[in-house]
Amino acid sequence: MTGTGGGGTGPAGDEEPDPAADAPARADASALAGAAAPEPEAQAETRRAHQKHNERYAWWALAYFLFGLHIVAFVMIYAVRHAK
């Protein structure tokens, strides 16, 4: 390949893309298209369940962070008040 750029995995510059190079990917995609895809309602329900789980996890992480921050603040207050 004579083009500029890094990687060297695709056509560079004025080279023509090789149509046979992505044939296996297209074959896999067409095979998957024939498979039974989840219904839109089931997909939406699954997405909402994952979203709820992720939001709950984020709130717990925030709670632990703030709790730890308070512990550090109390230790620092104790250290300042008892310094000689």
Coordinates of all heavy atoms in Angstrom, one line a residue:
M1 N 0.8 -1.2 0.0 CA 0.0 0.0 0.0 C 0.9 1.2 0.0 O 1.8 1.3 0.8 CB -0.9 0.0 1.2 CG -1.9 -1.1 1.1 SD -3.0 -0.9 2.5 CE -3.6 -2.6 2.5
T2 N 0.5 2.2 -0.8 CA 1.3 3.3 -1.0 C 0.8 4.6 -0.4 O 1.3 5.6 -0.5 CB 1.6 3.6 -2.5 OG1 0.3 3.8 -3.1 CG2 2.3 2.4 -3.1
G3 N -0.4 4.5 0.3 CA -1.0 5.7 0.8 C -0.4 6.2 2.1 O 0.4 5.5 2.7
T4 N -0.8 7.3 2.5 CA -0.3 7.8 3.8 C -1.3 7.5 4.9 O -2.5 7.3 4.6 CB -0.1 9.4 3.8 OG1 -1.4 9.9 3.5 CG2 0.9 9.8 2.7
G5 N -0.8 7.3 6.1 CA -1.7 6.9 7.2 C -1.2 5.7 7.8 O -0.3 4.9 7.3
G6 N -1.7 5.4 9.0 CA -1.2 4.3 9.8 C -2.1 3.1 9.7 O -3.1 3.1 9.1
G7 N -1.6 2.0 10.2 CA -2.4 0.8 10.2 C -2.2 -0.1 9.1 O -1.8 -1.3 9.2
G8 N -2.4 0.3 7.9 CA -2.2 -0.5 6.7 C -3.2 -1.6 6.5 O -3.0 -2.6 5.9
T9 N -4.4 -1.4 7.1 CA -5.4 -2.5 7.0 C -6.4 -2.2 5.9 O -7.1 -3.2 5.5 CB -6.2 -2.7 8.3 OG1 -6.8 -1.4 8.7 CG2 -5.2 -3.1 9.4
G10 N -6.5 -1.1 5.4 CA -7.5 -0.8 4.4 C -6.9 -0.1 3.2 O -5.7 0.1 3.1
P11 N -7.7 0.2 2.2 CA -7.2 0.8 1.0 C -6.7 2.2 1.4 O -7.3 3.0 2.1 CB -8.4 0.9 0.1 CG -9.6 0.7 0.9 CD -9.2 0.0 2.1
A12 N -5.6 2.6 0.8 CA -5.0 3.9 1.1 C -4.9 4.7 -0.2 O -4.5 4.1 -1.3 CB -3.6 3.7 1.7
G13 N -5.1 5.9 -0.2 CA -4.9 6.7 -1.3 C -5.9 6.4 -2.4 O -7.1 6.4 -2.3
D14 N -5.4 6.1 -3.6 CA -6.2 5.8 -4.8 C -6.4 4.3 -5.1 O -6.8 4.0 -6.2 CB -5.7 6.5 -6.0 CG -4.3 6.1 -6.3 OD1 -3.4 6.1 -5.3 OD2 -3.9 5.8 -7.4
E15 N -6.1 3.5 -4.1 CA -6.2 2.0 -4.4 C -7.7 1.6 -4.3 O -8.5 2.2 -3.6 CB -5.5 1.2 -3.3 CG -4.0 1.4 -3.4 CD -3.3 0.6 -2.3 OE1 -3.9 -0.3 -1.8 OE2 -2.1 0.9 -2.0
E16 N -8.1 0.7 -5.1 CA -9.4 0.1 -5.1 C -9.6 -0.9 -4.0 O -8.7 -1.7 -3.8 CB -9.7 -0.6 -6.5 CG -9.7 0.4 -7.6 CD -10.9 1.3 -7.6 OE1 -12.0 0.9 -7.2 OE2 -10.8 2.5 -8.0
P17 N -10.7 -0.8 -3.3 CA -11.0 -1.8 -2.2 C -11.2 -3.2 -2.9 O -11.8 -3.3 -4.0 CB -12.2 -1.3 -1.5 CG -12.9 -0.4 -2.5 CD -11.8 0.2 -3.4
D18 N -10.8 -4.2 -2.2 CA -10.9 -5.6 -2.7 C -12.3 -6.1 -2.3 O -12.5 -6.3 -1.1 CB -9.8 -6.5 -2.1 CG -9.9 -7.9 -2.7 OD1 -10.6 -8.1 -3.7 OD2 -9.2 -8.8 -2.1
P19 N -13.2 -6.3 -3.2 CA -14.6 -6.8 -2.8 C -14.6 -8.1 -2.2 O -15.5 -8.5 -1.4 CB -15.4 -6.7 -4.1 CG -14.4 -6.6 -5.2 CD -13.1 -6.1 -4.6
A20 N -13.6 -9.0 -2.5 CA -13.6 -10.3 -1.9 C -13.1 -10.3 -0.5 O -13.3 -11.3 0.2 CB -12.7 -11.2 -2.8
A21 N -12.5 -9.2 -0.1 CA -11.9 -9.2 1.3 C -13.0 -9.2 2.4 O -12.7 -9.7 3.4 CB -11.0 -8.0 1.4
D22 N -14.1 -8.6 2.1 CA -15.1 -8.5 3.1 C -16.3 -9.5 2.8 O -17.3 -9.4 3.4 CB -15.7 -7.1 3.3 CG -16.4 -6.6 2.0 OD1 -16.2 -7.2 1.0 OD2 -17.1 -5.6 2.1
A23 N -16.1 -10.5 1.9 CA -17.1 -11.5 1.6 C -17.5 -12.3 2.8 O -18.7 -12.6 3.0 CB -16.6 -12.3 0.4
P24 N -16.5 -12.8 3.6 CA -16.9 -13.6 4.8 C -17.8 -12.8 5.8 O -18.7 -13.3 6.3 CB -15.6 -14.0 5.4 CG -14.6 -13.9 4.3 CD -15.1 -12.8 3.4
A25 N -17.4 -11.5 5.9 CA -18.2 -10.7 6.9 C -19.6 -10.5 6.4 O -20.6 -10.6 7.1 CB -17.6 -9.4 7.1
R26 N -19.8 -10.3 5.1 CA -21.1 -10.2 4.5 C -21.9 -11.5 4.6 O -23.1 -11.5 4.9 CB -21.1 -9.8 3.0 CG -20.8 -8.3 2.9 CD -20.9 -7.9 1.5 NE -19.8 -8.7 0.8 CZ -19.4 -8.5 -0.4 NH1 -20.0 -7.7 -1.2 NH2 -18.4 -9.2 -0.9
A27 N -21.2 -12.6 4.4 CA -21.9 -13.9 4.5 C -22.4 -14.2 5.9 O -23.5 -14.7 6.2 CB -20.9 -15.1 4.1
D28 N -21.6 -13.8 6.9 CA -22.0 -13.9 8.3 C -23.2 -13.1 8.6 O -24.1 -13.4 9.3 CB -20.8 -13.6 9.3 CG -19.7 -14.6 9.2 OD1 -20.0 -15.8 8.7 OD2 -18.6 -14.3 9.6
A29 N -23.1 -11.8 8.1 CA -24.2 -10.9 8.4 C -25.5 -11.4 7.8 O -26.6 -11.3 8.4 CB -23.9 -9.5 7.8
S30 N -25.4 -12.0 6.5 CA -26.6 -12.5 5.9 C -27.2 -13.7 6.6 O -28.4 -13.9 6.7 CB -26.4 -12.7 4.4 OG -25.4 -13.8 4.3
A31 N -26.3 -14.5 7.2 CA -26.7 -15.7 7.9 C -27.4 -15.3 9.2 O -28.4 -15.9 9.6 CB -25.5 -16.6 8.2
L32 N -26.9 -14.2 9.8 CA -27.5 -13.7 11.1 C -28.8 -13.1 10.8 O -29.7 -13.1 11.7 CB -26.6 -12.8 11.8 CG -25.3 -13.4 12.4 CD1 -24.4 -12.3 13.0 CD2 -25.6 -14.4 13.4
A33 N -29.0 -12.5 9.6 CA -30.2 -11.8 9.3 C -31.4 -12.8 9.3 O -32.5 -12.4 9.6 CB -30.1 -11.0 8.0
G34 N -31.1 -14.0 8.9 CA -32.2 -15.0 8.8 C -32.5 -15.6 10.1 O -33.6 -16.2 10.3
A35 N -31.7 -15.4 11.1 CA -31.9 -16.0 12.4 C -33.1 -15.2 13.1 O -33.4 -14.1 12.8 CB -30.7 -15.9 13.3
A36 N -33.7 -15.8 14.1 CA -34.8 -15.2 14.8 C -34.3 -14.1 15.7 O -33.6 -14.4 16.6 CB -35.6 -16.3 15.6
A37 N -34.6 -12.9 15.3 CA -34.2 -11.7 16.1 C -35.2 -11.5 17.2 O -36.4 -11.8 17.0 CB -34.1 -10.5 15.2
P38 N -34.8 -11.0 18.3 CA -35.8 -10.7 19.4 C -36.8 -9.7 18.9 O -36.5 -8.8 18.1 CB -34.9 -10.2 20.5 CG -33.5 -10.4 20.2 CD -33.4 -10.7 18.7
E39 N -38.0 -9.8 19.4 CA -39.0 -8.9 19.1 C -38.7 -7.5 19.6 O -38.0 -7.4 20.7 CB -40.3 -9.3 19.7 CG -40.8 -10.7 19.1 CD -42.1 -11.1 19.8 OE1 -42.7 -10.4 20.6 OE2 -42.5 -12.3 19.5
P40 N -39.1 -6.4 19.0 CA -38.8 -5.1 19.5 C -39.2 -4.8 20.9 O -38.5 -4.2 21.7 CB -39.6 -4.2 18.6 CG -39.8 -5.0 17.3 CD -39.9 -6.4 17.8
E41 N -40.3 -5.4 21.4 CA -40.8 -5.2 22.8 C -39.8 -5.9 23.7 O -39.5 -5.4 24.8 CB -42.2 -5.7 22.9 CG -43.2 -4.8 22.2 CD -44.6 -5.4 22.5 OE1 -44.8 -6.2 23.4 OE2 -45.5 -5.0 21.7
A42 N -39.4 -7.1 23.3 CA -38.5 -7.9 24.2 C -37.1 -7.1 24.2 O -36.5 -7.1 25.3 CB -38.3 -9.3 23.7
Q43 N -36.7 -6.6 23.1 CA -35.4 -5.9 23.1 C -35.5 -4.6 24.0 O -34.6 -4.3 24.7 CB -35.1 -5.4 21.7 CG -34.2 -6.3 20.9 CD -33.9 -5.7 19.5 OE1 -34.6 -4.9 19.0 NE2 -32.7 -6.1 19.0
A44 N -36.6 -3.9 23.9 CA -36.8 -2.7 24.7 C -36.8 -3.1 26.2 O -36.2 -2.4 27.0 CB -38.1 -2.0 24.3
E45 N -37.5 -4.2 26.5 CA -37.6 -4.6 27.9 C -36.2 -5.0 28.4 O -35.8 -4.6 29.6 CB -38.5 -5.8 28.1 CG -38.8 -6.2 29.5 CD -39.5 -5.1 30.3 OE1 -40.3 -4.4 29.8 OE2 -39.2 -5.1 31.5
T46 N -35.4 -5.7 27.6 CA -34.1 -6.0 28.0 C -33.2 -4.8 28.2 O -32.4 -4.7 29.2 CB -33.4 -7.0 26.9 OG1 -34.3 -8.1 26.8 CG2 -32.0 -7.4 27.3
R47 N -33.3 -3.8 27.3 CA -32.5 -2.6 27.4 C -32.9 -1.8 28.6 O -32.0 -1.3 29.3 CB -32.8 -1.7 26.1 CG -31.9 -0.5 26.1 CD -32.0 0.3 24.8 NE -33.4 0.8 24.6 CZ -34.3 0.4 23.7 NH1 -33.9 -0.6 22.9 NH2 -35.5 0.9 23.6
R48 N -34.2 -1.8 28.9 CA -34.6 -1.1 30.2 C -34.1 -1.8 31.4 O -33.7 -1.1 32.4 CB -36.1 -1.0 30.2 CG -36.7 0.1 29.4 CD -38.2 0.3 29.7 NE -39.0 -0.8 29.3 CZ -39.6 -1.0 28.2 NH1 -39.5 -0.1 27.2 NH2 -40.4 -2.0 28.0
A49 N -34.1 -3.1 31.4 CA -33.5 -3.8 32.6 C -32.1 -3.5 32.7 O -31.6 -3.3 33.9 CB -33.8 -5.3 32.4
H50 N -31.3 -3.5 31.6 CA -29.9 -3.2 31.7 C -29.7 -1.8 32.2 O -28.8 -1.5 33.0 CB -29.2 -3.5 30.4 CG -29.0 -4.9 30.0 ND1 -28.3 -5.8 30.9 CD2 -29.4 -5.6 29.0 CE1 -28.3 -7.0 30.3 NE2 -29.0 -6.9 29.2
Q51 N -30.5 -0.9 31.7 CA -30.4 0.5 32.1 C -30.6 0.7 33.6 O -29.9 1.4 34.3 CB -31.4 1.3 31.3 CG -30.8 2.5 30.5 CD -31.9 3.2 29.7 OE1 -33.0 2.8 29.7 NE2 -31.4 4.2 29.0
K52 N -31.7 0.0 34.1 CA -32.0 0.1 35.5 C -30.9 -0.4 36.3 O -30.5 0.2 37.3 CB -33.3 -0.6 35.7 CG -33.8 -0.5 37.1 CD -35.2 -1.1 37.2 CE -35.8 -0.9 38.6 NZ -37.1 -1.6 38.8
H53 N -30.3 -1.6 35.9 CA -29.2 -2.1 36.6 C -28.0 -1.2 36.6 O -27.4 -1.0 37.7 CB -28.8 -3.5 36.0 CG -27.5 -4.0 36.5 ND1 -27.4 -4.6 37.8 CD2 -26.3 -4.1 36.0 CE1 -26.2 -5.0 38.0 NE2 -25.5 -4.7 36.9
N54 N -27.7 -0.6 35.5 CA -26.5 0.3 35.4 C -26.7 1.6 36.2 O -25.8 2.0 36.9 CB -26.2 0.7 34.0 CG -25.7 -0.5 33.2 OD1 -25.2 -1.5 33.7 ND2 -25.8 -0.4 31.9
E55 N -28.0 2.1 36.2 CA -28.2 3.3 37.0 C -28.1 3.0 38.5 O -27.6 3.8 39.3 CB -29.6 3.8 36.7 CG -29.7 4.5 35.4 CD -31.1 5.0 35.1 OE1 -32.0 4.9 36.0 OE2 -31.4 5.3 33.9
R56 N -28.6 1.8 38.9 CA -28.5 1.4 40.3 C -27.1 1.3 40.8 O -26.7 1.7 41.8 CB -29.3 0.1 40.6 CG -29.4 -0.2 42.0 CD -30.3 -1.5 42.2 NE -31.6 -1.2 41.8 CZ -32.4 -2.0 41.1 NH1 -31.9 -3.2 40.7 NH2 -33.6 -1.8 40.8
Y57 N -26.3 0.7 39.9 CA -24.9 0.5 40.2 C -24.2 1.9 40.3 O -23.3 2.1 41.2 CB -24.2 -0.3 39.1 CG -22.7 -0.5 39.3 CD1 -22.3 -1.5 40.1 CD2 -21.8 0.2 38.6 CE1 -21.0 -1.7 40.3 CE2 -20.5 0.0 38.8 CZ -20.0 -1.0 39.6 OH -18.7 -1.2 39.8
A58 N -24.5 2.8 39.4 CA -23.9 4.1 39.5 C -24.3 4.9 40.8 O -23.4 5.5 41.4 CB -24.4 5.0 38.2
W59 N -25.5 4.8 41.2 CA -25.9 5.4 42.5 C -25.2 4.8 43.6 O -24.8 5.5 44.6 CB -27.4 5.3 42.7 CG -28.2 6.3 41.9 CD1 -29.1 6.1 40.8 CD2 -28.2 7.7 42.0 NE1 -29.5 7.2 40.3 CE2 -29.0 8.3 41.1 CE3 -27.5 8.6 42.9 CZ2 -29.3 9.6 40.9 CZ3 -27.7 10.0 42.8 CH2 -28.6 10.5 41.8
W60 N -25.0 3.5 43.7 CA -24.3 2.8 44.8 C -22.8 3.3 44.7 O -22.3 3.5 45.8 CB -24.4 1.3 44.7 CG -25.7 0.8 45.3 CD1 -26.8 0.3 44.7 CD2 -25.9 0.7 46.7 NE1 -27.7 0.0 45.6 CE2 -27.2 0.2 46.9 CE3 -25.2 1.1 47.9 CZ2 -27.8 0.0 48.1 CZ3 -25.8 0.9 49.1 CH2 -27.1 0.4 49.2
A61 N -22.2 3.4 43.6 CA -20.9 3.8 43.5 C -20.7 5.2 44.0 O -19.8 5.6 44.7 CB -20.4 3.7 42.0
L62 N -21.7 6.1 43.6 CA -21.7 7.5 44.1 C -21.8 7.5 45.6 O -21.1 8.3 46.3 CB -22.8 8.3 43.4 CG -22.9 9.7 43.9 CD1 -21.6 10.5 43.5 CD2 -24.1 10.4 43.3
A63 N -22.7 6.7 46.2 CA -22.9 6.7 47.6 C -21.6 6.2 48.3 O -21.2 6.8 49.3 CB -24.0 5.7 47.9
Y64 N -21.0 5.2 47.9 CA -19.7 4.7 48.5 C -18.6 5.8 48.4 O -17.9 6.0 49.3 CB -19.2 3.4 47.8 CG -19.9 2.2 48.4 CD1 -20.7 1.4 47.5 CD2 -19.8 1.8 49.7 CE1 -21.3 0.3 48.0 CE2 -20.4 0.7 50.2 CZ -21.2 -0.1 49.4 OH -21.8 -1.2 49.8
F65 N -18.6 6.5 47.3 CA -17.6 7.5 47.1 C -17.8 8.7 48.1 O -16.9 9.1 48.8 CB -17.6 8.1 45.7 CG -16.8 9.3 45.5 CD1 -15.4 9.2 45.4 CD2 -17.4 10.6 45.4 CE1 -14.6 10.3 45.2 CE2 -16.6 11.7 45.2 CZ -15.2 11.6 45.1
L66 N -19.1 9.1 48.2 CA -19.4 10.2 49.1 C -19.1 9.8 50.6 O -18.7 10.6 51.4 CB -20.8 10.7 48.9 CG -21.0 11.4 47.6 CD1 -22.5 11.7 47.4 CD2 -20.2 12.6 47.5
F67 N -19.5 8.5 50.9 CA -19.2 8.0 52.3 C -17.7 8.0 52.6 O -17.3 8.5 53.6 CB -19.8 6.6 52.4 CG -19.6 6.0 53.8 CD1 -20.4 6.4 54.8 CD2 -18.7 5.0 54.0 CE1 -20.2 5.9 56.1 CE2 -18.5 4.5 55.2 CZ -19.3 4.9 56.3
G68 N -16.9 7.6 51.6 CA -15.5 7.6 51.8 C -15.0 9.0 52.0 O -14.0 9.3 52.8
L69 N -15.5 9.9 51.2 CA -15.1 11.3 51.3 C -15.4 11.9 52.6 O -14.5 12.6 53.2 CB -15.8 12.1 50.2 CG -15.3 13.5 49.8 CD1 -13.9 13.3 49.2 CD2 -16.2 14.1 48.8
H70 N -16.5 11.6 53.2 CA -16.8 12.0 54.6 C -15.9 11.4 55.6 O -15.4 12.1 56.5 CB -18.3 11.7 54.9 CG -19.2 12.6 54.3 ND1 -19.7 12.5 53.0 CD2 -19.8 13.8 54.8 CE1 -20.5 13.5 52.8 NE2 -20.6 14.3 53.8
I71 N -15.6 10.2 55.5 CA -14.6 9.5 56.4 C -13.3 10.3 56.3 O -12.7 10.6 57.4 CB -14.4 8.0 56.1 CG1 -15.7 7.3 56.3 CG2 -13.3 7.4 56.9 CD1 -16.2 7.3 57.7
V72 N -12.8 10.5 55.1 CA -11.5 11.3 55.0 C -11.6 12.6 55.6 O -10.7 13.1 56.3 CB -11.1 11.3 53.5 CG1 -9.9 12.3 53.3 CG2 -10.8 10.0 53.0
A73 N -12.7 13.3 55.4 CA -12.9 14.7 56.0 C -12.9 14.6 57.5 O -12.3 15.5 58.2 CB -14.2 15.3 55.5
F74 N -13.6 13.7 58.1 CA -13.6 13.5 59.5 C -12.2 13.2 60.1 O -11.8 13.8 61.2 CB -14.6 12.5 60.0 CG -16.1 12.9 59.8 CD1 -17.0 12.0 59.3 CD2 -16.5 14.2 60.0 CE1 -18.3 12.4 59.1 CE2 -17.8 14.6 59.9 CZ -18.7 13.7 59.4
V75 N -11.5 12.4 59.4 CA -10.1 12.1 59.9 C -9.3 13.3 59.8 O -8.5 13.6 60.7 CB -9.5 10.9 59.1 CG1 -8.0 10.8 59.3 CG2 -10.2 9.6 59.4
M76 N -9.4 14.1 58.8 CA -8.6 15.4 58.6 C -9.0 16.4 59.7 O -8.1 17.0 60.3 CB -8.8 16.0 57.2 CG -8.1 15.1 56.1 SD -8.4 15.8 54.5 CE -7.5 17.3 54.6
I77 N -10.3 16.5 60.0 CA -10.7 17.4 61.0 C -10.2 17.0 62.4 O -9.7 17.8 63.2 CB -12.3 17.5 61.1 CG1 -12.8 18.2 59.8 CG2 -12.8 18.2 62.3 CD1 -14.3 18.1 59.6
Y78 N -10.2 15.7 62.6 CA -9.7 15.2 63.9 C -8.2 15.5 64.0 O -7.7 15.9 65.0 CB -9.9 13.6 64.0 CG -9.4 13.0 65.2 CD1 -10.1 13.0 66.4 CD2 -8.1 12.4 65.3 CE1 -9.6 12.5 67.6 CE2 -7.6 11.9 66.4 CZ -8.4 11.9 67.6 OH -7.9 11.3 68.7
A79 N -7.5 15.3 62.9 CA -6.0 15.5 62.9 C -5.7 17.0 63.1 O -4.8 17.3 63.9 CB -5.4 15.1 61.5
V80 N -6.5 17.9 62.5 CA -6.2 19.3 62.7 C -6.5 19.8 64.1 O -5.8 20.5 64.7 CB -7.0 20.1 61.6 CG1 -7.0 21.6 62.0 CG2 -6.5 19.9 60.2
R81 N -7.6 19.3 64.6 CA -8.0 19.7 66.0 C -7.0 19.1 67.1 O -6.9 19.7 68.2 CB -9.4 19.3 66.3 CG -10.4 20.0 65.5 CD -11.7 19.9 66.1 NE -12.7 20.7 65.3 CZ -13.8 21.2 65.8 NH1 -14.2 20.8 67.0 NH2 -14.6 21.9 65.1
H82 N -6.4 18.0 66.8 CA -5.6 17.4 67.8 C -4.1 17.6 67.6 O -3.2 17.0 68.2 CB -5.9 15.9 68.0 CG -7.2 15.6 68.6 ND1 -8.4 15.7 67.9 CD2 -7.6 15.4 69.9 CE1 -9.4 15.5 68.7 NE2 -9.0 15.3 69.9
A83 N -3.7 18.4 66.6 CA -2.3 18.7 66.3 C -1.8 19.6 67.4 O -2.5 20.5 67.9 CB -2.2 19.3 64.9
K84 N -0.5 19.4 67.7 CA 0.1 20.3 68.7 C 1.1 21.1 68.1 O 1.9 21.0 67.3 CB 0.7 19.4 69.8 CG -0.3 18.7 70.6 CD 0.3 18.0 71.8 CE -0.9 17.4 72.6 NZ -0.5 16.8 73.8

